[in-house]
Amino acid sequence: MNIRLISNLVSGCFRVDVFAFITGFLMAVSMHGHAQVVRDSVLRIKLPIKNDSLSYELQKKHIQSSSEFYKKVKTTAHRNFFSRQLYPLLFRKSFADISQEIVSGSDSLPYISQKGKIIRSVKMVKVPVFGSSVFDTTIVSDNLTDRTLNSLHFKTRDAVIRSYLLIHKGDELNPVILADNERIIRQSALFADARFIVNSQPDSDSVDLVLVIKDVFPFSFDLKVKDANSGAIRLYNRNILGFGHQLEQSFDITTQKGPYISMSAGGYKIRNIRRSFTDLDVVWKNTPELKRMGIRVSKPFVSPETRYGGGVNIQKVRSGETQGVSNPAIRLEYSIYDFWGGYATIINRLKSPSGVRSVFALTGRYYNINYQHSSPLVLETASPTVTLNRYIAGLTLVKSGYYRSNMIYSFGKTEDIPTGNLARLITGFETSILGSRYYTGIKLLSGEKINRDRFIYSWFESGGYWSEGRFNDGIISLGFDYISGLYQFGSHRLRSFISLSYKAGINRISVGELKVNSTEFLKTYRNFREQGHQRFGIRAETVIFTPYYLLGFRFAAYSFIEAAMIAPPGKFALSGYVYPALGLGLRIRNENLVFSTFQLGLTWYGRPDIKGRYLMFEFTDIPQVGLEKFSIGAPEFTVYQ
């Protein structure tokens, strides 16, 4: 049986009878090394549940004796107002009947026995954002903070939720489509988690569906500190009044000269227009360095069943400076026109616990960047600023499925981890005032789940241009990712990650080199400027998911060892300069909010950075990790950076 803990220290003044409550808590910690909670609600919706960062196994012999102890603690805690407010911060209800196994394998495709039955009804159950669970709808927080935030939240409208449904009343139940739909809803920016429940009688030919869904709290902000005198803050609402629209605006902050606060980038998004999974974005930016206005339309291939996808990106840009150009007075004005579309079809359906399907896709793209002014000076930069046209076609063969897991990139939220194989062939034609040339490229990607919830990925990518019968400006890239199983250490969970990558240029004739600060990891070397024609990177990281909880925020400690190697032309990357790094820190995240994951970290470098520092202490945000490794998207040329 899994038990949930939320442990936090809150100071305050209480009457004498609270002493028993506090003493009981300390005794529990000393006896078990954690606080055990007691289920005190009746399960109405019951699902197999995975372990998360607040749940862990206890030996059965402790459960019965501890239950009575914690019941007494709860009774004591509810004798006055102050201890009633403190209790929910220290103790949380456990998920009822928590499974001993992490959700994976066959659990990724449940309800096989109900396949083919007619869907009689589809109902929705919306659980509160704070203090609730999609696994047990009876869990309701009595904490004042949770209740206040829940009262401020506009729940997503029924019509918006129904626009994400792939299944409807009167359809035959298809477990594969049901799993797809659950994953699509979870991956939407509007929802924290979702589960479908299938209710049926043994002798009935029909079923009732219940969608248990949980929103994320849409109001949030991101704070970035650029240096001692400047920073930026971004405010946004992902779900305005429950309609699924998003509005965001960034503000630049400086302490050196006015204006001290100025508006910079922003955008407005309309999601899932007319149930088509098409999003519309209007974006803008207005800073002294860059002015931008644009519109984007995107219809992704949200599942292997999606037949058509595509997108449009139109932007008007006016720049005050150019990277790599020493003269900041040069002003660039250009427009971007980017159109792509594709068709996909399923060519094979395999019997698999993860719903594996083989898909063939044909995609095409037209990309144009049109400069109104191109000074000869900027032609010598790494990316020559000249009018450019690209015509690209892609052929993709992908076999993929998904496994449900937990505590890989999130802290407790359900994660849909992709596995399978992908092969993509890219061909294209590029024309500009510098000349015309053809492009060919290939990408191979493989990923699989191995025992004990481990995952392993490997990839190979190569591409380059052909002109006058010669191959030039080529790139080769390969890599490997390993995700360990989830290990238990008392009330903590531990997972390790290993990543390797190698990239090199082939017969490079264009200006530009690989940069050590462009590694595919967590931008460890962002303050280094070394460049070369070959780059090798390796990173090993261990993350410990703790059971500690503070007003919905969860904590994970991490440590890593990393090395990047960069080499000039004619030398192998391993024989070039080595940049070692060691780091440790704490990551903080609230799955109920749209905040990024914040990282408080200390990193030691074996070589000084551009400011001569060997030691770096930072508080930064980490962008969300994309899990669509085997997705079908716009065809593109391999980037050399």
Side-chain angles (χ1 to χ4, degrees), residues 53 408 411 492-497 539 541-548 554-560 583-589 597-601 622:
S53 56
I408 294 183
F411 285 36
H492 297 71
R493 293 292 184 272
L494 181 149
R495 196 185 292 273
S496 296
F497 304 82
R539 179 184 177 96
E541 178 178 280
T542 297
V543 179
I544 301 175
F545 298 93
T546 74
Y548 306 119
R554 302 179 182 182
F555 304 89
Y558 72 92
S559 63
F560 72 88
L584 54 84
L586 186 69
R587 292 178 184 146
I588 306 168
R589 178 164 179 78
T597 300
F598 293 102
Q599 177 172 292
L600 186 68
I622 304 175

mmCIF file of all heavy atoms in Angstrom, residues 53 408 411 492-497 539 541-548 554-560 583-589 597-601 622:
data_model
loop_
_atom_site.group_PDB
_atom_site.id
_atom_site.type_symbol
_atom_site.label_atom_id
_atom_site.label_comp_id
_atom_site.label_asym_id
_atom_site.label_seq_id
_atom_site.Cartn_x
_atom_site.Cartn_y
_atom_site.Cartn_z
ATOM 1 N N SER A 53 5.814 11.535 -6.351
ATOM 2 C CA SER A 53 6.822 12.010 -5.424
ATOM 3 C C SER A 53 6.294 12.172 -4.003
ATOM 4 O O SER A 53 7.059 12.445 -3.099
ATOM 5 C CB SER A 53 7.384 13.347 -5.915
ATOM 6 O OG SER A 53 6.351 14.274 -6.083
ATOM 7 N N ILE A 408 9.689 11.300 -14.298
ATOM 8 C CA ILE A 408 10.788 11.316 -15.266
ATOM 9 C C ILE A 408 11.167 12.769 -15.513
ATOM 10 O O ILE A 408 12.242 13.217 -15.126
ATOM 11 C CB ILE A 408 10.407 10.583 -16.559
ATOM 12 C CG1 ILE A 408 10.218 9.095 -16.271
ATOM 13 C CG2 ILE A 408 11.472 10.782 -17.628
ATOM 14 C CD1 ILE A 408 9.903 8.254 -17.477
ATOM 15 N N PHE A 411 7.083 15.953 -11.620
ATOM 16 C CA PHE A 411 7.260 15.637 -10.210
ATOM 17 C C PHE A 411 6.130 14.759 -9.676
ATOM 18 O O PHE A 411 6.129 14.424 -8.506
ATOM 19 C CB PHE A 411 7.325 16.921 -9.382
ATOM 20 C CG PHE A 411 8.620 17.658 -9.492
ATOM 21 C CD1 PHE A 411 9.326 17.710 -10.670
ATOM 22 C CD2 PHE A 411 9.142 18.320 -8.388
ATOM 23 C CE1 PHE A 411 10.518 18.394 -10.779
ATOM 24 C CE2 PHE A 411 10.347 19.008 -8.483
ATOM 25 C CZ PHE A 411 11.027 19.050 -9.678
ATOM 26 N N HIS A 492 11.805 8.542 -0.291
ATOM 27 C CA HIS A 492 12.297 9.253 -1.459
ATOM 28 C C HIS A 492 12.311 8.334 -2.682
ATOM 29 O O HIS A 492 12.319 7.114 -2.559
ATOM 30 C CB HIS A 492 13.702 9.797 -1.215
ATOM 31 C CG HIS A 492 13.779 10.807 -0.111
ATOM 32 N ND1 HIS A 492 13.634 10.459 1.222
ATOM 33 C CD2 HIS A 492 13.991 12.149 -0.129
ATOM 34 C CE1 HIS A 492 13.739 11.548 1.974
ATOM 35 N NE2 HIS A 492 13.954 12.582 1.185
ATOM 36 N N ARG A 493 12.326 8.954 -3.863
ATOM 37 C CA ARG A 493 12.452 8.237 -5.128
ATOM 38 C C ARG A 493 13.659 8.780 -5.875
ATOM 39 O O ARG A 493 13.909 9.992 -5.859
ATOM 40 C CB ARG A 493 11.190 8.390 -5.982
ATOM 41 C CG ARG A 493 9.958 7.721 -5.390
ATOM 42 C CD ARG A 493 10.132 6.197 -5.419
ATOM 43 N NE ARG A 493 8.932 5.529 -4.954
ATOM 44 C CZ ARG A 493 8.678 5.241 -3.698
ATOM 45 N NH1 ARG A 493 9.521 5.623 -2.769
ATOM 46 N NH2 ARG A 493 7.579 4.600 -3.357
ATOM 47 N N LEU A 494 14.380 7.904 -6.536
ATOM 48 C CA LEU A 494 15.607 8.300 -7.228
ATOM 49 C C LEU A 494 15.577 7.784 -8.657
ATOM 50 O O LEU A 494 15.192 6.645 -8.918
ATOM 51 C CB LEU A 494 16.826 7.759 -6.479
ATOM 52 C CG LEU A 494 18.214 8.081 -7.024
ATOM 53 C CD1 LEU A 494 19.208 8.165 -5.866
ATOM 54 C CD2 LEU A 494 18.699 7.012 -8.007
ATOM 55 N N ARG A 495 15.975 8.652 -9.592
ATOM 56 C CA ARG A 495 16.092 8.255 -10.996
ATOM 57 C C ARG A 495 17.347 8.894 -11.579
ATOM 58 O O ARG A 495 17.688 10.037 -11.228
ATOM 59 C CB ARG A 495 14.856 8.673 -11.800
ATOM 60 C CG ARG A 495 14.767 7.956 -13.153
ATOM 61 C CD ARG A 495 13.604 8.489 -13.977
ATOM 62 N NE ARG A 495 12.300 8.181 -13.441
ATOM 63 C CZ ARG A 495 11.624 7.067 -13.694
ATOM 64 N NH1 ARG A 495 12.174 6.120 -14.444
ATOM 65 N NH2 ARG A 495 10.420 6.897 -13.190
ATOM 66 N N SER A 496 18.026 8.179 -12.465
ATOM 67 C CA SER A 496 19.256 8.674 -13.085
ATOM 68 C C SER A 496 19.076 8.827 -14.585
ATOM 69 O O SER A 496 18.256 8.136 -15.208
ATOM 70 C CB SER A 496 20.427 7.726 -12.795
ATOM 71 O OG SER A 496 20.703 7.674 -11.416
ATOM 72 N N PHE A 497 19.864 9.749 -15.160
ATOM 73 C CA PHE A 497 19.820 10.040 -16.584
ATOM 74 C C PHE A 497 21.254 10.100 -17.119
ATOM 75 O O PHE A 497 22.138 10.667 -16.476
ATOM 76 C CB PHE A 497 19.136 11.380 -16.853
ATOM 77 C CG PHE A 497 17.751 11.491 -16.283
ATOM 78 C CD1 PHE A 497 17.550 11.817 -14.950
ATOM 79 C CD2 PHE A 497 16.643 11.264 -17.076
ATOM 80 C CE1 PHE A 497 16.285 11.927 -14.416
ATOM 81 C CE2 PHE A 497 15.365 11.369 -16.555
ATOM 82 C CZ PHE A 497 15.182 11.701 -15.222
ATOM 83 N N ARG A 539 26.753 13.765 -20.175
ATOM 84 C CA ARG A 539 26.175 14.244 -18.922
ATOM 85 C C ARG A 539 25.553 13.067 -18.177
ATOM 86 O O ARG A 539 24.827 12.249 -18.774
ATOM 87 C CB ARG A 539 25.104 15.305 -19.179
ATOM 88 C CG ARG A 539 24.435 15.841 -17.904
ATOM 89 C CD ARG A 539 23.321 16.797 -18.252
ATOM 90 N NE ARG A 539 22.623 17.276 -17.073
ATOM 91 C CZ ARG A 539 22.879 18.418 -16.435
ATOM 92 N NH1 ARG A 539 23.838 19.217 -16.901
ATOM 93 N NH2 ARG A 539 22.195 18.794 -15.382
ATOM 94 N N GLU A 541 23.296 12.472 -14.634
ATOM 95 C CA GLU A 541 22.549 13.218 -13.620
ATOM 96 C C GLU A 541 21.707 12.268 -12.788
ATOM 97 O O GLU A 541 21.156 11.291 -13.301
ATOM 98 C CB GLU A 541 21.657 14.256 -14.286
ATOM 99 C CG GLU A 541 20.796 15.051 -13.317
ATOM 100 C CD GLU A 541 19.958 16.100 -14.027
ATOM 101 O OE1 GLU A 541 20.509 17.161 -14.352
ATOM 102 O OE2 GLU A 541 18.764 15.832 -14.265
ATOM 103 N N THR A 542 21.620 12.563 -11.509
ATOM 104 C CA THR A 542 20.754 11.818 -10.601
ATOM 105 C C THR A 542 19.786 12.796 -9.940
ATOM 106 O O THR A 542 20.201 13.854 -9.462
ATOM 107 C CB THR A 542 21.570 11.095 -9.520
ATOM 108 O OG1 THR A 542 22.413 10.125 -10.151
ATOM 109 C CG2 THR A 542 20.648 10.389 -8.541
ATOM 110 N N VAL A 543 18.515 12.438 -9.950
ATOM 111 C CA VAL A 543 17.471 13.277 -9.358
ATOM 112 C C VAL A 543 16.802 12.502 -8.225
ATOM 113 O O VAL A 543 16.438 11.332 -8.392
ATOM 114 C CB VAL A 543 16.428 13.692 -10.407
ATOM 115 C CG1 VAL A 543 15.347 14.548 -9.766
ATOM 116 C CG2 VAL A 543 17.084 14.449 -11.559
ATOM 117 N N ILE A 544 16.679 13.142 -7.079
ATOM 118 C CA ILE A 544 16.003 12.551 -5.926
ATOM 119 C C ILE A 544 14.694 13.302 -5.703
ATOM 120 O O ILE A 544 14.689 14.490 -5.363
ATOM 121 C CB ILE A 544 16.877 12.624 -4.663
ATOM 122 C CG1 ILE A 544 18.193 11.887 -4.889
ATOM 123 C CG2 ILE A 544 16.141 12.041 -3.470
ATOM 124 C CD1 ILE A 544 19.157 12.005 -3.730
ATOM 125 N N PHE A 545 13.576 12.625 -5.924
ATOM 126 C CA PHE A 545 12.257 13.217 -5.718
ATOM 127 C C PHE A 545 11.899 13.057 -4.245
ATOM 128 O O PHE A 545 11.735 11.942 -3.747
ATOM 129 C CB PHE A 545 11.221 12.536 -6.604
ATOM 130 C CG PHE A 545 11.492 12.691 -8.073
ATOM 131 C CD1 PHE A 545 12.219 11.728 -8.761
ATOM 132 C CD2 PHE A 545 11.041 13.797 -8.765
ATOM 133 C CE1 PHE A 545 12.472 11.860 -10.110
ATOM 134 C CE2 PHE A 545 11.295 13.947 -10.120
ATOM 135 C CZ PHE A 545 12.017 12.977 -10.793
ATOM 136 N N THR A 546 11.797 14.166 -3.569
ATOM 137 C CA THR A 546 11.550 14.134 -2.130
ATOM 138 C C THR A 546 10.054 14.101 -1.836
ATOM 139 O O THR A 546 9.236 14.477 -2.685
ATOM 140 C CB THR A 546 12.167 15.364 -1.443
ATOM 141 O OG1 THR A 546 11.359 16.517 -1.738
ATOM 142 C CG2 THR A 546 13.586 15.609 -1.929
ATOM 143 N N PRO A 547 9.664 13.689 -0.629
ATOM 144 C CA PRO A 547 8.247 13.691 -0.260
ATOM 145 C C PRO A 547 7.780 15.021 0.300
ATOM 146 O O PRO A 547 6.636 15.140 0.722
ATOM 147 C CB PRO A 547 8.190 12.606 0.821
ATOM 148 C CG PRO A 547 9.517 12.691 1.486
ATOM 149 C CD PRO A 547 10.493 13.040 0.396
ATOM 150 N N TYR A 548 8.642 16.019 0.315
ATOM 151 C CA TYR A 548 8.307 17.258 0.995
ATOM 152 C C TYR A 548 7.398 18.133 0.140
ATOM 153 O O TYR A 548 7.514 18.172 -1.085
ATOM 154 C CB TYR A 548 9.583 17.998 1.377
ATOM 155 C CG TYR A 548 10.506 17.127 2.168
ATOM 156 C CD1 TYR A 548 11.778 16.828 1.691
ATOM 157 C CD2 TYR A 548 10.095 16.572 3.369
ATOM 158 C CE1 TYR A 548 12.614 15.992 2.404
ATOM 159 C CE2 TYR A 548 10.920 15.736 4.090
ATOM 160 C CZ TYR A 548 12.181 15.450 3.602
ATOM 161 O OH TYR A 548 12.998 14.617 4.304
ATOM 162 N N ARG A 554 6.560 20.991 -4.939
ATOM 163 C CA ARG A 554 7.329 19.794 -4.652
ATOM 164 C C ARG A 554 8.800 20.054 -4.951
ATOM 165 O O ARG A 554 9.129 20.936 -5.740
ATOM 166 C CB ARG A 554 6.804 18.611 -5.469
ATOM 167 C CG ARG A 554 5.327 18.326 -5.196
ATOM 168 C CD ARG A 554 4.822 17.166 -6.030
ATOM 169 N NE ARG A 554 3.411 16.933 -5.785
ATOM 170 C CZ ARG A 554 2.710 15.954 -6.340
ATOM 171 N NH1 ARG A 554 3.302 15.115 -7.163
ATOM 172 N NH2 ARG A 554 1.427 15.807 -6.075
ATOM 173 N N PHE A 555 9.653 19.221 -4.363
ATOM 174 C CA PHE A 555 11.087 19.491 -4.417
ATOM 175 C C PHE A 555 11.833 18.243 -4.870
ATOM 176 O O PHE A 555 11.524 17.128 -4.432
ATOM 177 C CB PHE A 555 11.582 19.936 -3.044
ATOM 178 C CG PHE A 555 10.845 21.121 -2.491
ATOM 179 C CD1 PHE A 555 9.693 20.952 -1.729
ATOM 180 C CD2 PHE A 555 11.281 22.404 -2.754
ATOM 181 C CE1 PHE A 555 9.000 22.041 -1.228
ATOM 182 C CE2 PHE A 555 10.595 23.503 -2.252
ATOM 183 C CZ PHE A 555 9.458 23.321 -1.498
ATOM 184 N N ALA A 556 12.821 18.464 -5.721
ATOM 185 C CA ALA A 556 13.682 17.378 -6.177
ATOM 186 C C ALA A 556 15.125 17.865 -6.143
ATOM 187 O O ALA A 556 15.466 18.884 -6.758
ATOM 188 C CB ALA A 556 13.307 16.940 -7.592
ATOM 189 N N ALA A 557 15.966 17.151 -5.412
ATOM 190 C CA ALA A 557 17.394 17.473 -5.386
ATOM 191 C C ALA A 557 18.067 16.782 -6.569
ATOM 192 O O ALA A 557 17.645 15.706 -6.995
ATOM 193 C CB ALA A 557 18.007 17.009 -4.070
ATOM 194 N N TYR A 558 19.113 17.393 -7.086
ATOM 195 C CA TYR A 558 19.812 16.800 -8.224
ATOM 196 C C TYR A 558 21.309 17.055 -8.097
ATOM 197 O O TYR A 558 21.772 17.978 -7.426
ATOM 198 C CB TYR A 558 19.306 17.397 -9.547
ATOM 199 C CG TYR A 558 19.748 18.819 -9.797
ATOM 200 C CD1 TYR A 558 20.919 19.094 -10.504
ATOM 201 C CD2 TYR A 558 19.011 19.890 -9.301
ATOM 202 C CE1 TYR A 558 21.342 20.401 -10.719
ATOM 203 C CE2 TYR A 558 19.429 21.192 -9.506
ATOM 204 C CZ TYR A 558 20.586 21.446 -10.219
ATOM 205 O OH TYR A 558 21.017 22.732 -10.424
ATOM 206 N N SER A 559 22.067 16.206 -8.751
ATOM 207 C CA SER A 559 23.509 16.396 -8.895
ATOM 208 C C SER A 559 23.907 15.867 -10.265
ATOM 209 O O SER A 559 23.251 14.960 -10.804
ATOM 210 C CB SER A 559 24.278 15.670 -7.792
ATOM 211 O OG SER A 559 24.074 14.273 -7.879
ATOM 212 N N PHE A 560 24.939 16.433 -10.837
ATOM 213 C CA PHE A 560 25.360 15.998 -12.165
ATOM 214 C C PHE A 560 26.860 16.162 -12.348
ATOM 215 O O PHE A 560 27.522 16.934 -11.651
ATOM 216 C CB PHE A 560 24.618 16.780 -13.259
ATOM 217 C CG PHE A 560 25.056 18.214 -13.407
ATOM 218 C CD1 PHE A 560 26.110 18.561 -14.246
ATOM 219 C CD2 PHE A 560 24.404 19.228 -12.711
ATOM 220 C CE1 PHE A 560 26.520 19.884 -14.384
ATOM 221 C CE2 PHE A 560 24.802 20.546 -12.836
ATOM 222 C CZ PHE A 560 25.858 20.874 -13.684
ATOM 223 N N GLY A 583 27.847 19.808 -10.655
ATOM 224 C CA GLY A 583 26.800 20.655 -10.120
ATOM 225 C C GLY A 583 25.853 19.916 -9.203
ATOM 226 O O GLY A 583 25.742 18.690 -9.235
ATOM 227 N N LEU A 584 25.170 20.684 -8.389
ATOM 228 C CA LEU A 584 24.120 20.157 -7.528
ATOM 229 C C LEU A 584 23.140 21.287 -7.238
ATOM 230 O O LEU A 584 23.450 22.467 -7.410
ATOM 231 C CB LEU A 584 24.678 19.572 -6.231
ATOM 232 C CG LEU A 584 25.590 20.445 -5.367
ATOM 233 C CD1 LEU A 584 24.812 21.357 -4.444
ATOM 234 C CD2 LEU A 584 26.506 19.558 -4.543
ATOM 235 N N GLY A 585 21.955 20.901 -6.831
ATOM 236 C CA GLY A 585 20.968 21.931 -6.557
ATOM 237 C C GLY A 585 19.609 21.361 -6.237
ATOM 238 O O GLY A 585 19.460 20.172 -5.929
ATOM 239 N N LEU A 586 18.609 22.217 -6.334
ATOM 240 C CA LEU A 586 17.237 21.869 -5.978
ATOM 241 C C LEU A 586 16.305 22.382 -7.065
ATOM 242 O O LEU A 586 16.426 23.528 -7.518
ATOM 243 C CB LEU A 586 16.871 22.498 -4.635
ATOM 244 C CG LEU A 586 15.521 22.115 -4.034
ATOM 245 C CD1 LEU A 586 15.532 20.649 -3.601
ATOM 246 C CD2 LEU A 586 15.187 23.019 -2.851
ATOM 247 N N ARG A 587 15.373 21.531 -7.486
ATOM 248 C CA ARG A 587 14.348 21.922 -8.448
ATOM 249 C C ARG A 587 13.000 21.984 -7.743
ATOM 250 O O ARG A 587 12.680 21.107 -6.933
ATOM 251 C CB ARG A 587 14.300 20.948 -9.627
ATOM 252 C CG ARG A 587 15.552 21.031 -10.472
ATOM 253 C CD ARG A 587 15.566 20.060 -11.608
ATOM 254 N NE ARG A 587 16.840 20.145 -12.315
ATOM 255 C CZ ARG A 587 17.450 19.122 -12.889
ATOM 256 N NH1 ARG A 587 16.896 17.925 -12.861
ATOM 257 N NH2 ARG A 587 18.605 19.286 -13.505
ATOM 258 N N ILE A 588 12.221 22.989 -8.091
ATOM 259 C CA ILE A 588 10.953 23.263 -7.413
ATOM 260 C C ILE A 588 9.857 23.373 -8.463
ATOM 261 O O ILE A 588 10.004 24.107 -9.447
ATOM 262 C CB ILE A 588 11.040 24.574 -6.608
ATOM 263 C CG1 ILE A 588 12.241 24.540 -5.653
ATOM 264 C CG2 ILE A 588 9.754 24.830 -5.844
ATOM 265 C CD1 ILE A 588 12.570 25.876 -5.036
ATOM 266 N N ARG A 589 8.771 22.651 -8.235
ATOM 267 C CA ARG A 589 7.689 22.698 -9.220
ATOM 268 C C ARG A 589 6.350 22.451 -8.540
ATOM 269 O O ARG A 589 6.247 21.696 -7.577
ATOM 270 C CB ARG A 589 7.900 21.654 -10.317
ATOM 271 C CG ARG A 589 6.774 21.644 -11.344
ATOM 272 C CD ARG A 589 7.152 20.920 -12.602
ATOM 273 N NE ARG A 589 6.064 20.910 -13.546
ATOM 274 C CZ ARG A 589 5.718 21.926 -14.316
ATOM 275 N NH1 ARG A 589 6.412 23.045 -14.247
ATOM 276 N NH2 ARG A 589 4.720 21.851 -15.150
ATOM 277 N N THR A 597 9.574 24.896 -14.129
ATOM 278 C CA THR A 597 10.327 24.307 -13.036
ATOM 279 C C THR A 597 11.486 25.231 -12.701
ATOM 280 O O THR A 597 12.287 25.572 -13.568
ATOM 281 C CB THR A 597 10.864 22.921 -13.426
ATOM 282 O OG1 THR A 597 9.772 22.060 -13.758
ATOM 283 C CG2 THR A 597 11.647 22.313 -12.283
ATOM 284 N N PHE A 598 11.570 25.652 -11.453
ATOM 285 C CA PHE A 598 12.645 26.548 -11.034
ATOM 286 C C PHE A 598 13.805 25.724 -10.484
ATOM 287 O O PHE A 598 13.603 24.713 -9.811
ATOM 288 C CB PHE A 598 12.141 27.535 -9.978
ATOM 289 C CG PHE A 598 11.127 28.501 -10.507
ATOM 290 C CD1 PHE A 598 9.774 28.321 -10.243
ATOM 291 C CD2 PHE A 598 11.512 29.581 -11.280
ATOM 292 C CE1 PHE A 598 8.825 29.205 -10.735
ATOM 293 C CE2 PHE A 598 10.573 30.474 -11.772
ATOM 294 C CZ PHE A 598 9.237 30.287 -11.501
ATOM 295 N N GLN A 599 14.990 26.180 -10.788
ATOM 296 C CA GLN A 599 16.188 25.453 -10.388
ATOM 297 C C GLN A 599 17.129 26.369 -9.625
ATOM 298 O O GLN A 599 17.516 27.428 -10.115
ATOM 299 C CB GLN A 599 16.888 24.889 -11.622
ATOM 300 C CG GLN A 599 18.200 24.178 -11.329
ATOM 301 C CD GLN A 599 18.751 23.483 -12.549
ATOM 302 O OE1 GLN A 599 18.179 22.513 -13.034
ATOM 303 N NE2 GLN A 599 19.850 23.978 -13.073
ATOM 304 N N LEU A 600 17.472 25.942 -8.430
ATOM 305 C CA LEU A 600 18.444 26.636 -7.602
ATOM 306 C C LEU A 600 19.690 25.763 -7.589
ATOM 307 O O LEU A 600 19.677 24.667 -7.039
ATOM 308 C CB LEU A 600 17.888 26.808 -6.186
ATOM 309 C CG LEU A 600 18.698 27.637 -5.194
ATOM 310 C CD1 LEU A 600 18.701 29.101 -5.603
ATOM 311 C CD2 LEU A 600 18.117 27.482 -3.793
ATOM 312 N N GLY A 601 20.773 26.236 -8.248
ATOM 313 C CA GLY A 601 21.903 25.353 -8.448
ATOM 314 C C GLY A 601 23.261 26.009 -8.290
ATOM 315 O O GLY A 601 23.420 27.224 -8.463
ATOM 316 N N ILE A 622 13.570 26.219 -15.894
ATOM 317 C CA ILE A 622 13.880 25.177 -16.870
ATOM 318 C C ILE A 622 12.675 25.017 -17.781
ATOM 319 O O ILE A 622 11.562 24.787 -17.308
ATOM 320 C CB ILE A 622 14.186 23.836 -16.181
ATOM 321 C CG1 ILE A 622 15.328 24.006 -15.183
ATOM 322 C CG2 ILE A 622 14.528 22.766 -17.195
ATOM 323 C CD1 ILE A 622 15.607 22.750 -14.388
#
